[in-house]
Amino acid sequence: AHIQLHIATTSSSSSSSYNQEAPKPVCILDDKSHKIAGVKIGDVNRPILDRRVQEDIENALNKLTLHVKYKRPVDPEWAARQRERGKSQDWIEQRNIFVRRNKTMRPDPREGGNNTCIKWAADDPNIYTFELKPPRPRRPRNNDGTPGTTMEQEAQPKEEEAKEEEPPGEMITVYHYFQRRYNITLKYPKMPIVYIGREGWYPIEFLYQAFGKAKAANSSEQVRDILSYYDSHAGPKCVEYIEHLNNRLNVLQSKMGLDIGKIMSQFNLRKSDQPLRVMAKVLQEPVLKFQSMEGQLRNGSWNLNRVKFDTVADLSSFAVLDMTPGRGINYFRNLLKVCVNHGMTLPENVNPEQMMDRVVHTDNRARNPGEIFDAVSTAIEKARYEILLDRSELFQSKKVWFKSRVINKSNGLVEDCLVIPPPQNIDNEVGIILREDVWRHTHEITNVHNGETANARIMGKFVGYDAVDPFNYRWNGQSHEVRSSANSNSWTRAEFLGHVYALDDGKTLVSEAEIERSPMPTMRLETWQVECPCVLLVFLPDNTSERYHIVKMASHFSFGVPCQCAVADTFSRQKNQDQYCSNIALKLNTKLSNSWNKARAWGTYFNTGGGQEGGIPWVKDVPTFVMGIGVSHGLGADSISVIGASVALDEGCMRMAQELKVQTKSDMIADSVMQDIVKALAIQFTTANKGKSPERILVYRDGISEGNLNRSKENELRSIRQAFYDFHRMYYPNFSCDNSHCEGRGCLFCTPPITFIVCQSQHSIRVVPDEEPADRNKNVHSGTCLDHTVMDFRNKLNMTETLPEDPSIELFEVKDEGYDFLLTAQGGLKGTSKPIYYRVLLNENAIWKKGPTPLTKDALQLCTYHQSYQYGTATKAVRSVPVVYYSKRLAEMAMGYINYLRGRKGELPDTVGGVIGNQLEDVSEEEQKYLPRGRDGAPIGRFKFVRQDADPNESLPSEIRTELLPSFSPFERRLEDSNKWRSPFRPHLSA
């Protein structure tokens, strides 16, 4: 389908007069409206006692960058001397203005780790005082300018001078300090004082808001007002408003006698007063299928009402942390009910609500980072104590076992297991029962009559059943059930009689009376090798970002457990709380997906001439490595860049594995960092696909500006090829490249062909319908694609390699046409939809025949659009491809807590390892000019970060030493063979 639309280009900077005034400073304390940082307070002449108002003020100040500014009274004698020296009055006034720029509120380290940033009055000695020491006598100067001595100092022996102690100081408030030291009387002494670092405590009336970037500085009310403004000027009205502003600008220019058109023509530019009208196409929507029904799509949206997920995840165990005063239990029980409605598997052999009651940990007093970390630790340890060790006999009392997962060391894959709890005096080791086809023996039994020992498998004896395998019976919360037949989901109620042990002959059954009590399990593992819990469920009191980030840090970094949070305020406001829990269940099903359960909420299909095919078009043909990269940059030149990366493990691009790396701040990913990422994800992909390595590569890269496109193409593409070359050498012992020009760096002939696409979201292009639609939607339809007219003139497809003389090499017919395109995948309801500009820097898959079909322009567009429906946390097509969305979420999540791990923020327990920097390799001469530089002009040191608890052994590969989240990676340092790959329990973090 084709539609007519027009394109409006907006400028990133507004027009202004040449004599623009400097912005007026914004005082944090607004004495007219009685507000501090936008938070309404009472009387400015009385202290703030309301705890809620105090928390709101502290949260608001945490988001701001501050300037300190105050004016000291001018000393008349000093001013007279300066005038005699020829100084102007302006100079004298400026010398008495005290300024400290770009400061942030931070905890006072002298407060004993209490994270105190604010004191709530400047003049109250019961709130805060400090010791003001008397000034030392000034030493005289000799004629040559060197320090002199007084007569008393000359008469005093050197030893006594060294032993002389300073006189004690006076305890004084901040209010009296400024009054005594600078003759400044605070106007509002009852207002708070704020700690800004080594400079100390300052009254709130001296603080001003700094102009510039600040993360999360907008309140929810400000965001709502801005969104409302853009919504009222959406779609065609956006174009009308731009035309209106343009007409006003033309009138203003005429009054000023300016001819902008003439000035632009000197640079061969022309400004149009009208939007560009073009024809675009609407791509074919996919077909979404749940377990027993199709999803009803409406402009890229659907719902989960009364549907069962296509393939469900198993919620085999959980830890529960309620950070409210006991309000979370209703939410947790409602969540379990909704998960069952969507078909998810809850813990077997136990009543899930009974397990919930035993493991829930309530802590509504945790405020600072250490307390929040301890709350997470207690919740996880409590779950392991009650479930894995079965200390309350939830399982033993029913003669069943906790069902979980372990990693099979022989092939690295996840296996089902039943856990035999240890004796009361052992907490670090459990017995394991595997399926009979994996490992038959469960116990070593000893005959009570003759002392003979034998390996046997424990079985259940029921009325009508002599021996039932442990995996074929269960406790349903009320009674025992036996599986009707092998691999059947049908269960029959049966009366349990006791346990028996089957010997290797498969016929002899030994009763419990014939053996010694408490036989020893034949397979025993440390507790960390068994998955428990599989997720941490957290009920937060509010959406404070600091608490959220610390919970994620503790869960992911320290304990290696996926985490799912919900907010009490949001849950309580819901008219339909089941719908809220349904969205959480969707996230859980995506987050708990792995190579064993292959969970996905829905399947994606596309129409062909012969019917429907499952998967993503083109990706499904052969094993294709679809990778997305997102980067989050910290503020400041000496900060860091957090890189998140995701790879799709299945042909539907819905199951993900992820990687996280941290390096010194840079637009480009360092060569070794990119290689570590790609190698780890290639191992994840190959392990999940049972040894099938990628045959094609499709990369979506986010976060590259226009000026860095060529650098990205040269540097990051080279790193990807090198990573796959190294991966092939690890995976295939006899691997070699026949291309003489390869020289061990990887080339097109020994690594899969690459399509490298940059996803640009920060651009000024808006695509709107030519006429406003009749319904409430003011935007173009989901799937609107534009691939002509506005594309880059450099958009060409070039072969970068010289073809070797090899008859086995096959090529598609090359069509050297443009591949860039604008895609509006989302069906926008609010504001004006902003398309993603996909810049195709290289498309070898259009030429190199590694599958049945080439990646043509139409195939690439449809492949990209259908991926937008695979974001497993939302029931709508999203703006960008999920591999990029997930990667950006992971990077931003880690950015929220990385400074805690670097020791630059908050106080954490000593058990938290943190991260340290390892020096990065030198860059080429061409790249040196792009390195960040310090104030002295020298390049700032470049680092990549590793865990402090990582083995410092230099023989370990770089991808293992830089692995910040090993529990979600294919590497596990605690295994005997650190180079052994494995499939992690749950490789997806950011759903």
Side-chain angles (χ1 to χ4, degrees), residues 405-417 434 523 525 528-531 969 972 975 980-986:
R405 309 278 184 275
V406 292
I407 300 297
N408 189 332
K409 291 185 178 181
S410 62
N411 55 18
L413 297 178
V414 176
E415 301 285 359
D416 278 339
C417 76
L434 297 177
M523 178 176 288
L525 297 177
W528 65 264
Q529 294 177 269
V530 184
E531 185 189 37
S969 79
E972 177 52 72
L975 292 176
K980 187 72 175 179
W981 302 340
R982 56 93 190 235
S983 180
F985 289 124
R986 316 285 176 174

PDB file of all heavy atoms in Angstrom, residues 405-417 434 523 525 528-531 969 972 975 980-986:
ATOM      1  N   ARG A 405      16.970 -26.591  38.098  1.00  0.00           N
ATOM      2  CA  ARG A 405      17.854 -26.786  36.942  1.00  0.00           C
ATOM      3  C   ARG A 405      19.306 -26.795  37.410  1.00  0.00           C
ATOM      4  O   ARG A 405      19.665 -26.137  38.388  1.00  0.00           O
ATOM      5  CB  ARG A 405      17.707 -25.651  35.920  1.00  0.00           C
ATOM      6  CG  ARG A 405      16.287 -25.357  35.502  1.00  0.00           C
ATOM      7  CD  ARG A 405      15.817 -26.310  34.418  1.00  0.00           C
ATOM      8  NE  ARG A 405      14.489 -25.943  33.976  1.00  0.00           N
ATOM      9  CZ  ARG A 405      13.367 -26.329  34.559  1.00  0.00           C
ATOM     10  NH1 ARG A 405      13.426 -27.099  35.616  1.00  0.00           N
ATOM     11  NH2 ARG A 405      12.194 -25.947  34.086  1.00  0.00           N
ATOM     12  N   VAL A 406      20.130 -27.537  36.689  1.00  0.00           N
ATOM     13  CA  VAL A 406      21.578 -27.504  36.872  1.00  0.00           C
ATOM     14  C   VAL A 406      22.227 -27.433  35.494  1.00  0.00           C
ATOM     15  O   VAL A 406      21.580 -27.681  34.472  1.00  0.00           O
ATOM     16  CB  VAL A 406      22.118 -28.746  37.628  1.00  0.00           C
ATOM     17  CG1 VAL A 406      21.643 -28.734  39.064  1.00  0.00           C
ATOM     18  CG2 VAL A 406      21.717 -30.020  36.920  1.00  0.00           C
ATOM     19  N   ILE A 407      23.498 -27.075  35.480  1.00  0.00           N
ATOM     20  CA  ILE A 407      24.257 -27.030  34.231  1.00  0.00           C
ATOM     21  C   ILE A 407      24.966 -28.368  34.040  1.00  0.00           C
ATOM     22  O   ILE A 407      25.692 -28.827  34.928  1.00  0.00           O
ATOM     23  CB  ILE A 407      25.292 -25.892  34.247  1.00  0.00           C
ATOM     24  CG1 ILE A 407      24.599 -24.538  34.439  1.00  0.00           C
ATOM     25  CG2 ILE A 407      26.109 -25.889  32.958  1.00  0.00           C
ATOM     26  CD1 ILE A 407      23.667 -24.160  33.328  1.00  0.00           C
ATOM     27  N   ASN A 408      24.734 -29.001  32.900  1.00  0.00           N
ATOM     28  CA  ASN A 408      25.423 -30.235  32.554  1.00  0.00           C
ATOM     29  C   ASN A 408      26.844 -29.888  32.110  1.00  0.00           C
ATOM     30  O   ASN A 408      27.048 -29.240  31.085  1.00  0.00           O
ATOM     31  CB  ASN A 408      24.671 -30.957  31.425  1.00  0.00           C
ATOM     32  CG  ASN A 408      25.216 -32.345  31.162  1.00  0.00           C
ATOM     33  OD1 ASN A 408      26.388 -32.628  31.386  1.00  0.00           O
ATOM     34  ND2 ASN A 408      24.353 -33.220  30.664  1.00  0.00           N
ATOM     35  N   LYS A 409      27.840 -30.301  32.911  1.00  0.00           N
ATOM     36  CA  LYS A 409      29.223 -29.932  32.614  1.00  0.00           C
ATOM     37  C   LYS A 409      29.725 -30.515  31.304  1.00  0.00           C
ATOM     38  O   LYS A 409      30.612 -29.962  30.658  1.00  0.00           O
ATOM     39  CB  LYS A 409      30.136 -30.386  33.754  1.00  0.00           C
ATOM     40  CG  LYS A 409      29.938 -29.623  35.050  1.00  0.00           C
ATOM     41  CD  LYS A 409      30.969 -30.061  36.077  1.00  0.00           C
ATOM     42  CE  LYS A 409      30.830 -29.283  37.367  1.00  0.00           C
ATOM     43  NZ  LYS A 409      31.846 -29.682  38.364  1.00  0.00           N
ATOM     44  N   SER A 410      29.144 -31.634  30.887  1.00  0.00           N
ATOM     45  CA  SER A 410      29.657 -32.299  29.684  1.00  0.00           C
ATOM     46  C   SER A 410      29.328 -31.523  28.418  1.00  0.00           C
ATOM     47  O   SER A 410      30.107 -31.503  27.475  1.00  0.00           O
ATOM     48  CB  SER A 410      29.094 -33.724  29.591  1.00  0.00           C
ATOM     49  OG  SER A 410      27.666 -33.690  29.465  1.00  0.00           O
ATOM     50  N   ASN A 411      28.136 -30.872  28.366  1.00  0.00           N
ATOM     51  CA  ASN A 411      27.766 -30.156  27.142  1.00  0.00           C
ATOM     52  C   ASN A 411      27.373 -28.706  27.392  1.00  0.00           C
ATOM     53  O   ASN A 411      27.050 -27.981  26.449  1.00  0.00           O
ATOM     54  CB  ASN A 411      26.610 -30.867  26.429  1.00  0.00           C
ATOM     55  CG  ASN A 411      25.394 -31.064  27.336  1.00  0.00           C
ATOM     56  OD1 ASN A 411      25.256 -30.403  28.366  1.00  0.00           O
ATOM     57  ND2 ASN A 411      24.515 -31.977  26.947  1.00  0.00           N
ATOM     58  N   GLY A 412      27.388 -28.270  28.652  1.00  0.00           N
ATOM     59  CA  GLY A 412      27.065 -26.883  28.957  1.00  0.00           C
ATOM     60  C   GLY A 412      25.597 -26.537  28.907  1.00  0.00           C
ATOM     61  O   GLY A 412      25.242 -25.370  29.023  1.00  0.00           O
ATOM     62  N   LEU A 413      24.720 -27.524  28.723  1.00  0.00           N
ATOM     63  CA  LEU A 413      23.299 -27.252  28.599  1.00  0.00           C
ATOM     64  C   LEU A 413      22.595 -27.373  29.949  1.00  0.00           C
ATOM     65  O   LEU A 413      23.095 -28.008  30.878  1.00  0.00           O
ATOM     66  CB  LEU A 413      22.664 -28.219  27.593  1.00  0.00           C
ATOM     67  CG  LEU A 413      23.163 -28.116  26.147  1.00  0.00           C
ATOM     68  CD1 LEU A 413      22.480 -29.157  25.273  1.00  0.00           C
ATOM     69  CD2 LEU A 413      22.940 -26.724  25.579  1.00  0.00           C
ATOM     70  N   VAL A 414      21.432 -26.755  30.030  1.00  0.00           N
ATOM     71  CA  VAL A 414      20.633 -26.784  31.251  1.00  0.00           C
ATOM     72  C   VAL A 414      19.864 -28.093  31.317  1.00  0.00           C
ATOM     73  O   VAL A 414      19.301 -28.555  30.319  1.00  0.00           O
ATOM     74  CB  VAL A 414      19.654 -25.592  31.280  1.00  0.00           C
ATOM     75  CG1 VAL A 414      18.752 -25.655  32.496  1.00  0.00           C
ATOM     76  CG2 VAL A 414      20.426 -24.279  31.257  1.00  0.00           C
ATOM     77  N   GLU A 415      19.848 -28.729  32.495  1.00  0.00           N
ATOM     78  CA  GLU A 415      19.133 -29.989  32.692  1.00  0.00           C
ATOM     79  C   GLU A 415      18.168 -29.867  33.862  1.00  0.00           C
ATOM     80  O   GLU A 415      18.417 -29.150  34.838  1.00  0.00           O
ATOM     81  CB  GLU A 415      20.123 -31.135  32.985  1.00  0.00           C
ATOM     82  CG  GLU A 415      21.161 -31.384  31.904  1.00  0.00           C
ATOM     83  CD  GLU A 415      20.611 -32.094  30.683  1.00  0.00           C
ATOM     84  OE1 GLU A 415      19.402 -32.416  30.665  1.00  0.00           O
ATOM     85  OE2 GLU A 415      21.397 -32.335  29.756  1.00  0.00           O
ATOM     86  N   ASP A 416      17.040 -30.587  33.762  1.00  0.00           N
ATOM     87  CA  ASP A 416      16.114 -30.696  34.890  1.00  0.00           C
ATOM     88  C   ASP A 416      16.777 -31.450  36.037  1.00  0.00           C
ATOM     89  O   ASP A 416      17.596 -32.357  35.815  1.00  0.00           O
ATOM     90  CB  ASP A 416      14.856 -31.459  34.475  1.00  0.00           C
ATOM     91  CG  ASP A 416      13.863 -30.556  33.769  1.00  0.00           C
ATOM     92  OD1 ASP A 416      13.939 -29.337  33.949  1.00  0.00           O
ATOM     93  OD2 ASP A 416      13.006 -31.073  33.028  1.00  0.00           O
ATOM     94  N   CYS A 417      16.406 -31.112  37.240  1.00  0.00           N
ATOM     95  CA  CYS A 417      16.904 -31.859  38.387  1.00  0.00           C
ATOM     96  C   CYS A 417      15.910 -31.767  39.537  1.00  0.00           C
ATOM     97  O   CYS A 417      15.061 -30.875  39.578  1.00  0.00           O
ATOM     98  CB  CYS A 417      18.281 -31.349  38.839  1.00  0.00           C
ATOM     99  SG  CYS A 417      18.216 -29.798  39.751  1.00  0.00           S
ATOM    100  N   LEU A 434      18.922 -36.453  38.585  1.00  0.00           N
ATOM    101  CA  LEU A 434      18.741 -36.088  37.183  1.00  0.00           C
ATOM    102  C   LEU A 434      17.798 -37.079  36.515  1.00  0.00           C
ATOM    103  O   LEU A 434      17.499 -38.156  37.059  1.00  0.00           O
ATOM    104  CB  LEU A 434      20.093 -36.075  36.459  1.00  0.00           C
ATOM    105  CG  LEU A 434      21.126 -35.056  36.959  1.00  0.00           C
ATOM    106  CD1 LEU A 434      22.433 -35.223  36.199  1.00  0.00           C
ATOM    107  CD2 LEU A 434      20.611 -33.637  36.832  1.00  0.00           C
ATOM    108  N   MET A 523      25.201 -38.016  43.508  1.00  0.00           N
ATOM    109  CA  MET A 523      25.638 -36.762  42.888  1.00  0.00           C
ATOM    110  C   MET A 523      25.360 -35.619  43.859  1.00  0.00           C
ATOM    111  O   MET A 523      24.229 -35.399  44.271  1.00  0.00           O
ATOM    112  CB  MET A 523      24.921 -36.506  41.560  1.00  0.00           C
ATOM    113  CG  MET A 523      25.323 -35.178  40.909  1.00  0.00           C
ATOM    114  SD  MET A 523      24.570 -34.903  39.299  1.00  0.00           S
ATOM    115  CE  MET A 523      25.487 -36.104  38.320  1.00  0.00           C
ATOM    116  N   LEU A 525      26.276 -31.417  44.586  1.00  0.00           N
ATOM    117  CA  LEU A 525      26.776 -30.166  44.010  1.00  0.00           C
ATOM    118  C   LEU A 525      26.727 -29.071  45.068  1.00  0.00           C
ATOM    119  O   LEU A 525      25.960 -29.131  46.022  1.00  0.00           O
ATOM    120  CB  LEU A 525      25.923 -29.740  42.809  1.00  0.00           C
ATOM    121  CG  LEU A 525      25.905 -30.663  41.592  1.00  0.00           C
ATOM    122  CD1 LEU A 525      24.951 -30.110  40.541  1.00  0.00           C
ATOM    123  CD2 LEU A 525      27.295 -30.824  41.003  1.00  0.00           C
ATOM    124  N   TRP A 528      25.421 -23.075  44.775  1.00  0.00           N
ATOM    125  CA  TRP A 528      25.398 -22.063  43.717  1.00  0.00           C
ATOM    126  C   TRP A 528      25.235 -22.687  42.330  1.00  0.00           C
ATOM    127  O   TRP A 528      24.883 -21.987  41.377  1.00  0.00           O
ATOM    128  CB  TRP A 528      26.669 -21.201  43.773  1.00  0.00           C
ATOM    129  CG  TRP A 528      27.952 -21.935  43.487  1.00  0.00           C
ATOM    130  CD1 TRP A 528      28.812 -22.452  44.392  1.00  0.00           C
ATOM    131  CD2 TRP A 528      28.526 -22.214  42.198  1.00  0.00           C
ATOM    132  NE1 TRP A 528      29.877 -23.052  43.782  1.00  0.00           N
ATOM    133  CE2 TRP A 528      29.734 -22.918  42.426  1.00  0.00           C
ATOM    134  CE3 TRP A 528      28.150 -21.949  40.887  1.00  0.00           C
ATOM    135  CZ2 TRP A 528      30.543 -23.344  41.390  1.00  0.00           C
ATOM    136  CZ3 TRP A 528      28.970 -22.374  39.842  1.00  0.00           C
ATOM    137  CH2 TRP A 528      30.154 -23.061  40.104  1.00  0.00           C
ATOM    138  N   GLN A 529      25.490 -23.997  42.203  1.00  0.00           N
ATOM    139  CA  GLN A 529      25.375 -24.647  40.901  1.00  0.00           C
ATOM    140  C   GLN A 529      23.929 -25.008  40.558  1.00  0.00           C
ATOM    141  O   GLN A 529      23.658 -25.435  39.436  1.00  0.00           O
ATOM    142  CB  GLN A 529      26.246 -25.910  40.869  1.00  0.00           C
ATOM    143  CG  GLN A 529      27.738 -25.614  40.967  1.00  0.00           C
ATOM    144  CD  GLN A 529      28.575 -26.870  40.995  1.00  0.00           C
ATOM    145  OE1 GLN A 529      28.880 -27.411  42.053  1.00  0.00           O
ATOM    146  NE2 GLN A 529      28.941 -27.350  39.822  1.00  0.00           N
ATOM    147  N   VAL A 530      23.016 -24.862  41.508  1.00  0.00           N
ATOM    148  CA  VAL A 530      21.601 -25.151  41.296  1.00  0.00           C
ATOM    149  C   VAL A 530      20.850 -23.830  41.207  1.00  0.00           C
ATOM    150  O   VAL A 530      21.084 -22.926  42.015  1.00  0.00           O
ATOM    151  CB  VAL A 530      21.024 -26.004  42.442  1.00  0.00           C
ATOM    152  CG1 VAL A 530      19.574 -26.372  42.170  1.00  0.00           C
ATOM    153  CG2 VAL A 530      21.870 -27.250  42.647  1.00  0.00           C
ATOM    154  N   GLU A 531      19.966 -23.718  40.259  1.00  0.00           N
ATOM    155  CA  GLU A 531      19.211 -22.476  40.111  1.00  0.00           C
ATOM    156  C   GLU A 531      18.169 -22.349  41.217  1.00  0.00           C
ATOM    157  O   GLU A 531      17.213 -23.106  41.278  1.00  0.00           O
ATOM    158  CB  GLU A 531      18.506 -22.426  38.752  1.00  0.00           C
ATOM    159  CG  GLU A 531      17.806 -21.087  38.529  1.00  0.00           C
ATOM    160  CD  GLU A 531      16.933 -21.080  37.299  1.00  0.00           C
ATOM    161  OE1 GLU A 531      16.300 -22.110  37.010  1.00  0.00           O
ATOM    162  OE2 GLU A 531      16.870 -20.042  36.627  1.00  0.00           O
ATOM    163  N   SER A 969      26.221 -15.072  31.608  1.00  0.00           N
ATOM    164  CA  SER A 969      27.114 -15.217  30.467  1.00  0.00           C
ATOM    165  C   SER A 969      27.429 -16.696  30.247  1.00  0.00           C
ATOM    166  O   SER A 969      27.070 -17.544  31.066  1.00  0.00           O
ATOM    167  CB  SER A 969      28.418 -14.451  30.733  1.00  0.00           C
ATOM    168  OG  SER A 969      29.259 -15.201  31.594  1.00  0.00           O
ATOM    169  N   GLU A 972      31.736 -19.189  33.538  1.00  0.00           N
ATOM    170  CA  GLU A 972      31.551 -19.272  34.990  1.00  0.00           C
ATOM    171  C   GLU A 972      32.907 -19.508  35.619  1.00  0.00           C
ATOM    172  O   GLU A 972      33.508 -20.566  35.454  1.00  0.00           O
ATOM    173  CB  GLU A 972      30.578 -20.398  35.347  1.00  0.00           C
ATOM    174  CG  GLU A 972      30.383 -20.598  36.836  1.00  0.00           C
ATOM    175  CD  GLU A 972      30.012 -19.319  37.549  1.00  0.00           C
ATOM    176  OE1 GLU A 972      28.868 -18.856  37.384  1.00  0.00           O
ATOM    177  OE2 GLU A 972      30.881 -18.765  38.260  1.00  0.00           O
ATOM    178  N   LEU A 975      33.721 -22.645  37.949  1.00  0.00           N
ATOM    179  CA  LEU A 975      33.863 -24.005  37.444  1.00  0.00           C
ATOM    180  C   LEU A 975      35.342 -24.384  37.413  1.00  0.00           C
ATOM    181  O   LEU A 975      36.222 -23.533  37.299  1.00  0.00           O
ATOM    182  CB  LEU A 975      33.260 -24.116  36.042  1.00  0.00           C
ATOM    183  CG  LEU A 975      31.734 -23.962  35.961  1.00  0.00           C
ATOM    184  CD1 LEU A 975      31.288 -24.004  34.513  1.00  0.00           C
ATOM    185  CD2 LEU A 975      31.035 -25.055  36.747  1.00  0.00           C
ATOM    186  N   LYS A 980      35.489 -23.527  29.961  1.00  0.00           N
ATOM    187  CA  LYS A 980      34.353 -24.352  29.543  1.00  0.00           C
ATOM    188  C   LYS A 980      33.143 -23.459  29.332  1.00  0.00           C
ATOM    189  O   LYS A 980      32.810 -22.628  30.149  1.00  0.00           O
ATOM    190  CB  LYS A 980      34.043 -25.398  30.628  1.00  0.00           C
ATOM    191  CG  LYS A 980      32.996 -26.416  30.206  1.00  0.00           C
ATOM    192  CD  LYS A 980      33.535 -27.379  29.190  1.00  0.00           C
ATOM    193  CE  LYS A 980      32.530 -28.463  28.859  1.00  0.00           C
ATOM    194  NZ  LYS A 980      33.031 -29.396  27.852  1.00  0.00           N
ATOM    195  N   TRP A 981      32.474 -23.626  28.207  1.00  0.00           N
ATOM    196  CA  TRP A 981      31.289 -22.824  27.925  1.00  0.00           C
ATOM    197  C   TRP A 981      30.068 -23.514  28.497  1.00  0.00           C
ATOM    198  O   TRP A 981      30.018 -24.726  28.631  1.00  0.00           O
ATOM    199  CB  TRP A 981      31.122 -22.634  26.428  1.00  0.00           C
ATOM    200  CG  TRP A 981      32.287 -21.994  25.762  1.00  0.00           C
ATOM    201  CD1 TRP A 981      33.258 -21.238  26.368  1.00  0.00           C
ATOM    202  CD2 TRP A 981      32.635 -22.062  24.390  1.00  0.00           C
ATOM    203  NE1 TRP A 981      34.183 -20.820  25.454  1.00  0.00           N
ATOM    204  CE2 TRP A 981      33.819 -21.313  24.213  1.00  0.00           C
ATOM    205  CE3 TRP A 981      32.065 -22.657  23.281  1.00  0.00           C
ATOM    206  CZ2 TRP A 981      34.435 -21.151  22.985  1.00  0.00           C
ATOM    207  CZ3 TRP A 981      32.666 -22.492  22.060  1.00  0.00           C
ATOM    208  CH2 TRP A 981      33.849 -21.752  21.906  1.00  0.00           C
ATOM    209  N   ARG A 982      29.064 -22.721  28.786  1.00  0.00           N
ATOM    210  CA  ARG A 982      27.815 -23.286  29.265  1.00  0.00           C
ATOM    211  C   ARG A 982      26.684 -22.343  28.866  1.00  0.00           C
ATOM    212  O   ARG A 982      26.896 -21.162  28.574  1.00  0.00           O
ATOM    213  CB  ARG A 982      27.860 -23.471  30.782  1.00  0.00           C
ATOM    214  CG  ARG A 982      28.183 -22.194  31.587  1.00  0.00           C
ATOM    215  CD  ARG A 982      26.946 -21.479  32.022  1.00  0.00           C
ATOM    216  NE  ARG A 982      27.214 -20.172  32.581  1.00  0.00           N
ATOM    217  CZ  ARG A 982      26.817 -19.792  33.783  1.00  0.00           C
ATOM    218  NH1 ARG A 982      26.164 -20.618  34.547  1.00  0.00           N
ATOM    219  NH2 ARG A 982      27.052 -18.565  34.206  1.00  0.00           N
ATOM    220  N   SER A 983      25.477 -22.864  28.899  1.00  0.00           N
ATOM    221  CA  SER A 983      24.296 -22.051  28.645  1.00  0.00           C
ATOM    222  C   SER A 983      23.786 -21.549  29.981  1.00  0.00           C
ATOM    223  O   SER A 983      23.448 -22.341  30.852  1.00  0.00           O
ATOM    224  CB  SER A 983      23.214 -22.889  27.948  1.00  0.00           C
ATOM    225  OG  SER A 983      22.058 -22.107  27.700  1.00  0.00           O
ATOM    226  N   PRO A 984      23.746 -20.232  30.209  1.00  0.00           N
ATOM    227  CA  PRO A 984      23.303 -19.725  31.516  1.00  0.00           C
ATOM    228  C   PRO A 984      21.839 -20.057  31.771  1.00  0.00           C
ATOM    229  O   PRO A 984      21.064 -20.288  30.845  1.00  0.00           O
ATOM    230  CB  PRO A 984      23.526 -18.215  31.413  1.00  0.00           C
ATOM    231  CG  PRO A 984      23.526 -17.931  29.951  1.00  0.00           C
ATOM    232  CD  PRO A 984      24.086 -19.136  29.283  1.00  0.00           C
ATOM    233  N   PHE A 985      21.465 -20.069  33.049  1.00  0.00           N
ATOM    234  CA  PHE A 985      20.086 -20.389  33.399  1.00  0.00           C
ATOM    235  C   PHE A 985      19.119 -19.420  32.710  1.00  0.00           C
ATOM    236  O   PHE A 985      18.153 -19.831  32.076  1.00  0.00           O
ATOM    237  CB  PHE A 985      19.893 -20.310  34.919  1.00  0.00           C
ATOM    238  CG  PHE A 985      20.567 -21.416  35.669  1.00  0.00           C
ATOM    239  CD1 PHE A 985      21.483 -21.132  36.666  1.00  0.00           C
ATOM    240  CD2 PHE A 985      20.294 -22.736  35.376  1.00  0.00           C
ATOM    241  CE1 PHE A 985      22.100 -22.143  37.374  1.00  0.00           C
ATOM    242  CE2 PHE A 985      20.907 -23.761  36.082  1.00  0.00           C
ATOM    243  CZ  PHE A 985      21.812 -23.458  37.075  1.00  0.00           C
ATOM    244  N   ARG A 986      19.362 -18.147  32.851  1.00  0.00           N
ATOM    245  CA  ARG A 986      18.473 -17.128  32.287  1.00  0.00           C
ATOM    246  C   ARG A 986      19.355 -16.032  31.684  1.00  0.00           C
ATOM    247  O   ARG A 986      19.876 -15.186  32.405  1.00  0.00           O
ATOM    248  CB  ARG A 986      17.565 -16.526  33.361  1.00  0.00           C
ATOM    249  CG  ARG A 986      16.943 -17.540  34.301  1.00  0.00           C
ATOM    250  CD  ARG A 986      15.802 -18.319  33.675  1.00  0.00           C
ATOM    251  NE  ARG A 986      15.323 -19.346  34.609  1.00  0.00           N
ATOM    252  CZ  ARG A 986      14.264 -20.098  34.401  1.00  0.00           C
ATOM    253  NH1 ARG A 986      13.557 -19.960  33.284  1.00  0.00           N
ATOM    254  NH2 ARG A 986      13.890 -21.004  35.279  1.00  0.00           N
TER     255      ARG A 986
END
